[in-house]
Amino acid sequence: MKGLFICILSVFFFVSSCADKEKSQVINEALSIVDTCPDSALILLNKINVRKLNEECLAKYSLANYWALDKSGYDVNNDSLIRYAFNFYRNGLYQSSLLYSRTMYYMGKYFSLVDSIENAEFCFEKSLESSVLQKDTLTEALSAEKLSNLTKHHDLKKSEELSLHAVSIYKNFSGKSRSNLIWLMLNATKCLAYNNYEKAVQMGKDAIELSKKIGDSSLISAAHQDLAFVYNISGKKEECLIEAKNAYSTAKEKSVSITFALADAYHEMDSLVKSKELLKNCEIKQGEKSAYSKYNLLHKIAIKEGNNTDAVLYADSAFMIMESLYHKEMSYKIEYFKKMINEVKINSEIQSSSKIKSTLFICTIIIFVLLLCFLFYIYKMYRKHTEEKMNEEKRMHEIVMKNKDSQISIMRNYVLEKINVRTKINQIQNNPEKKLNLTYSDWREIELFLDSTEDSFVYRLKEQYKDLTEEDIRLLMLIKLKMSAKSLAMLYGISEQSIKHKLFIFKSKIGLQESPLSLRSFIENF
C-alpha cells in the first residue's frame, strides 16, 4: 500500500515535471529567436496555456512576449506583461540571471513611454550594471543608449560618455548590424551636440557615410537631419539649412519632423515664404504634438513679418493645442494610475486567493497522506488480525487432526488386536480357517467412528459411489483406518500380493484408472 502511494506520487510529479519542461523548452526557443524572428516567437508563445505555467515560466513568457511585440514595432504601453517579469526577476535570487538585464531594459522602455523618467533611469541603470556583469554586449549597448538619451537633459557629461560607450561596445559586438550602429551613432551625435561640437559633427558625418554605403534612404535622411540639429544648436544656420535640405530631398516619405526641420531652417535664414509654404502643405491632425510645433513656428514667422493679428491667432491656436494635450496627458495619467491601483488591488486579491488555495492544497495533501496512513494502519491491523486468526485456526486444525489420528490409531489397534487374538486362537486350535470375520456390530462401530471423525466419510462414499457394494465399502473403511496390506491380508485370508492387486483393480470402481494417484492415497484424503 505504501509502495503504491509512493508510485502514484512519483508518476504525478513525473508527468507534471515533463509538462513544465516541455513548456519551458518552447519559451526558451522563443527567447532564442525573438531578436531575429519576433513574429515566429509570438506564434510559438501563442501555443502556450498561460494559466498552467509556474512562476518562473510565466516570468519568461511575459518577457518573451513583450520583447517580441517590441521587436515587431509595437510601442507596448501596457505594463501587465513586463511588470510580472519585473516583479519576478528583481528578486535578489534572480538578479544574476541573463534575463534580468533584459527585463530591466524593457521595464525602462515602458517607463519612458509613460514619462516616468526617474523609474526609467533606475531600470536602465540596473540593466546596464547587470549586462556588464553577464557580458551581454547587446543589452549593454541598448541600455547605455536609452540612458544617455534620458540623462542629456540634466547630466550632459554622463549622457556623452554613455552614448559614446554604446557606440564603442556595439562596434565590437559579433552580431552587430550596420543599421543599428548608425542609430547609435546618431544618438551620440545629438548627445554630443551641446558640449562637444566637433565630435558631434564628425560623428554625424561618419553616420552619413555609413548610411550611404548601406544605401538606406531613411537612414541617410535621418543622419542629415541629426547633423542639421547639431548645426542649429551651434548657431551654424547656413550649414543647418544645407543639411535640412539634404534630409528632405533624400527622404522617400516627407515626414512631419523632416518638414519641420527644413521649415525651421528656412525661418532661421529669414526665408519666411518658403517656411510658411512648407508648413501649410504639411497636413497635421488637430490635437497632435506636431500641431503645436506647427502653430508655434507660424507664430514666430508672423512676428518676424510684423503681422500681429496672425501672431496672436497662431499663439492662441498653439496655446489651445497645448492645453488640450495637457488635459489629454493628465487624463491618461489619471487613467493609468487608476488602472495601476486597480491592478495592484487585483494582484493583491489574487495573491491572497493564491495563498488560500495553496494552503487548502497543502491541507488536502496532508489530509490525503494522513488518510492513506490511516488506511495503511487499518490494513496492517486487519492483516495482523487475519494472520492471528489463521494461526489459531491452523493450531486448532492441527489439534483436531492430531485427535483424529489418535482416534484412528485406536480404532486401527482395536481391529489389529482382534486380528492378533484370532490368529492366536487359530494357532492353538490348529484351525485351518485363515479368514477373520468381523461381526456386524464391529463394522457398525467402525462406520459410526469414521462418520463422526472423518466428516461423514462412509455416508459421503455411499452417496458419491452408489455402485459400491457393502464389501467394497468395508474394504475402503479399513483403508481409511490406514490398515497395512499385511493386516488386510490377514483379515481377508489372502496374500499381501493379492491385496495389492485387488486394490489396483479396485481403482476402476471409483474412476481412478487413468489417475496416477493410488487408491490408498485417494481414500486417505477423501
Side-chain angles (χ1 to χ4, degrees):
M1 189 76 176
K2 186 177 179 181
L4 179 62
F5 170 64
I6 293 170
C7 183
I8 291 169
L9 282 181
S10 300
V11 170
F12 172 75
F13 286 121
F14 175 75
V15 172
S16 299
S17 64
C18 285
D20 289 340
K21 187 177 180 181
E22 184 179 350
K23 292 172 186 174
S24 181
Q25 286 175 346
V26 174
I27 295 170
N28 288 335
E29 185 181 351
L31 284 168
S32 67
I33 63 171
V34 68
D35 265 325
T36 53
C37 305
D39 293 333
S40 298
L42 284 172
I43 291 170
L44 283 174
L45 294 171
N46 288 335
K47 296 178 181 178
I48 297 173
N49 187 347
V50 182
R51 294 182 179 179
K52 294 185 179 180
L53 294 176
N54 58 37
E55 287 188 5
E56 185 174 2
C57 284
L58 185 56
K60 282 184 178 181
Y61 171 86
S62 301
L63 173 60
N65 208 312
Y66 195 93
W67 191 342
L69 289 170
D70 178 76
K71 293 296 290 184
S72 295
Y74 298 99
D75 282 336
V76 190
N77 57 4
N78 186 323
D79 66 333
S80 57
L81 279 173
I82 193 62
R83 190 173 287 279
Y84 187 91
F86 172 71
N87 289 334
F88 180 81
Y89 283 111
R90 70 175 176 177
N91 186 314
L93 295 172
Y94 300 100
Q95 288 188 8
S96 59
S97 168
L98 284 169
L99 298 178
Y100 170 73
S101 56
R102 190 56 72 124
T103 300
M104 298 304 288
Y105 170 76
Y106 278 114
M107 197 68 212
K109 280 196 75 172
Y110 167 75
F111 281 131
S112 297
L113 287 172
V114 296
D115 295 331
S116 184
I117 305 303
E118 289 184 9
N119 288 329
E121 285 190 20
F122 170 80
C123 289
F124 286 132
E125 288 278 6
K126 292 297 179 183
S127 177
L128 184 60
E129 291 173 8
S130 176
S131 57
V132 170
L133 292 173
Q134 298 295 333
K135 296 182 180 179
D136 182 358
T137 307
L138 179 59
T139 306
E140 182 183 353
L142 294 173
S143 300
E145 183 265 332
K146 293 295 181 185
L147 195 55
S148 68
N149 204 21
L150 292 175
T151 54
K152 70 182 177 184
H153 300 293
H154 59 83
D155 192 341
L156 279 172
K157 185 176 180 181
K158 183 178 180 179
S159 175
E160 290 174 7
E161 291 173 354
L162 287 168
S163 63
L164 291 171
H165 177 68
V167 173
S168 174
I169 61 169
Y170 192 77
K171 280 182 178 178
N172 298 320
F173 177 50
S174 59
K176 66 177 179 290
S177 71
R178 288 190 292 180
S179 57
N180 285 342
L181 178 59
I182 291 167
W183 287 116
L184 291 174
M185 291 171 70
L186 294 179
N187 175 69
T189 300
K190 288 183 283 187
C191 292
L192 293 166
Y194 297 95
N195 278 347
N196 205 327
Y197 168 74
E198 290 181 0
K199 273 191 177 182
V201 171
Q202 188 58 50
M203 185 69 75
K205 288 180 177 179
D206 290 344
I208 291 170
E209 289 301 316
L210 187 56
S211 301
K212 287 179 178 178
K213 287 180 181 179
I214 297 175
D216 189 330
S217 59
S218 61
L219 284 175
I220 296 169
S221 177
H224 280 297
Q225 186 179 349
D226 287 345
L227 187 56
F229 170 77
V230 175
Y231 287 132
N232 186 36
I233 292 292
S234 305
K236 306 287 186 180
K237 296 180 181 181
E238 290 182 8
E239 289 85 346
C240 175
L241 180 58
I242 292 169
E243 293 301 328
K245 283 181 179 179
N246 289 335
Y248 190 83
S249 63
T250 54
K252 287 184 178 180
E253 295 182 5
K254 313 303 181 187
S255 66
V256 173
S257 62
I258 291 173
T259 305
F260 278 9
L262 181 56
D264 187 52
Y266 276 131
H267 163 257
E268 292 294 331
M269 291 296 293
D270 294 330
S271 298
L272 303 181
V273 175
K274 290 182 178 181
S275 180
K276 284 169 66 177
E277 186 180 349
L278 281 170
L279 291 173
K280 287 179 180 179
N281 291 331
C282 185
E283 295 182 3
I284 301 170
K285 294 179 181 179
Q286 290 294 328
E288 293 183 356
K289 290 182 180 180
S290 301
Y292 168 78
S293 300
K294 176 180 179 179
Y295 286 116
N296 185 44
L297 186 53
L298 286 171
H299 166 72
K300 291 178 182 178
I301 292 170
I303 289 174
K304 277 192 175 184
E305 289 177 336
N307 190 341
N308 293 331
T309 303
D310 287 349
V312 171
L313 289 173
Y314 290 136
D316 286 342
S317 297
F319 177 76
M320 287 176 66
I321 292 169
M322 180 59 72
E323 193 174 45
S324 174
L325 289 171
Y326 173 76
H327 285 300
K328 185 178 179 180
E329 192 69 24
M330 286 302 296
S331 298
Y332 173 77
K333 286 186 179 293
I334 289 168
E335 286 298 319
Y336 166 73
F337 285 116
K338 280 183 179 179
K339 183 181 176 182
M340 190 173 176
I341 291 168
N342 189 45
E343 285 181 357
V344 169
K345 183 181 177 182
I346 291 170
N347 288 335
S348 177
E349 290 174 354
I350 290 171
Q351 287 177 0
S352 176
S353 175
S354 179
K355 286 180 180 178
I356 293 170
K357 287 179 180 178
S358 298
T359 305
L360 287 173
F361 178 74
I362 292 169
C363 290
T364 304
I365 292 294
I366 292 171
I367 292 169
F368 179 68
V369 171
L370 290 174
L371 181 61
L372 283 178
C373 292
F374 176 72
L375 291 174
F376 182 69
Y377 171 76
I378 294 294
Y379 169 75
K380 289 278 285 185
M381 293 302 295
Y382 170 75
R383 187 173 177 180
K384 183 179 178 183
H385 176 71
T386 305
E387 287 177 354
E388 289 177 352
K389 187 177 179 181
M390 287 176 66
N391 290 333
E392 181 64 20
E393 288 177 353
K394 184 179 179 182
R395 189 178 68 83
M396 292 301 296
H397 178 71
E398 288 174 352
I399 292 171
V400 170
M401 291 304 295
K402 189 175 180 181
N403 290 336
K404 281 185 179 181
D405 289 342
S406 177
Q407 290 172 351
I408 289 172
S409 178
I410 292 169
M411 179 57 69
R412 184 173 62 250
N413 291 336
Y414 165 76
V415 175
L416 289 173
E417 187 63 29
K418 283 203 167 195
I419 293 170
N420 291 332
V421 170
R422 182 62 181 172
T423 302
K424 286 178 182 179
I425 291 171
N426 288 337
Q427 288 174 353
I428 293 170
Q429 296 178 351
N430 294 318
N431 191 344
E433 185 183 357
K434 294 182 180 181
K435 184 177 178 180
L436 176 62
N437 292 319
L438 295 175
T439 64
Y440 175 78
S441 60
D442 290 335
W443 288 114
R444 184 61 181 162
E445 187 177 348
I446 294 171
E447 182 179 342
L448 292 172
F449 169 76
L450 289 174
D451 276 344
S452 63
T453 59
E454 293 295 332
D455 192 21
S456 303
F457 169 75
V458 178
Y459 174 78
R460 288 188 292 109
L461 201 60
K462 288 178 179 180
E463 286 294 315
Q464 190 164 338
Y465 302 102
K466 296 183 181 295
D467 293 336
L468 294 176
T469 65
E470 189 67 28
E471 283 297 318
D472 294 338
I473 296 295
R474 287 177 178 180
L475 174 61
L476 295 176
M477 286 165 57
L478 293 172
I479 293 173
K480 187 65 175 177
L481 289 174
K482 299 182 180 179
M483 299 287 286
S484 66
K486 182 179 179 182
S487 299
L488 291 172
M490 293 176 69
L491 188 61
Y492 282 96
I494 57 178
S495 67
E496 288 185 37
Q497 189 64 32
S498 298
I499 286 292
K500 291 178 181 179
H501 182 69
K502 185 175 183 178
L503 293 179
F504 180 77
I505 295 172
F506 203 85
K507 285 177 66 176
S508 61
K509 288 189 177 185
I510 56 175
L512 294 177
Q513 62 269 27
E514 301 296 331
S515 174
L517 194 67
S518 68
L519 178 66
R520 186 178 291 277
S521 298
F522 174 77
I523 292 301
E524 286 179 358
N525 292 300
F526 183 78

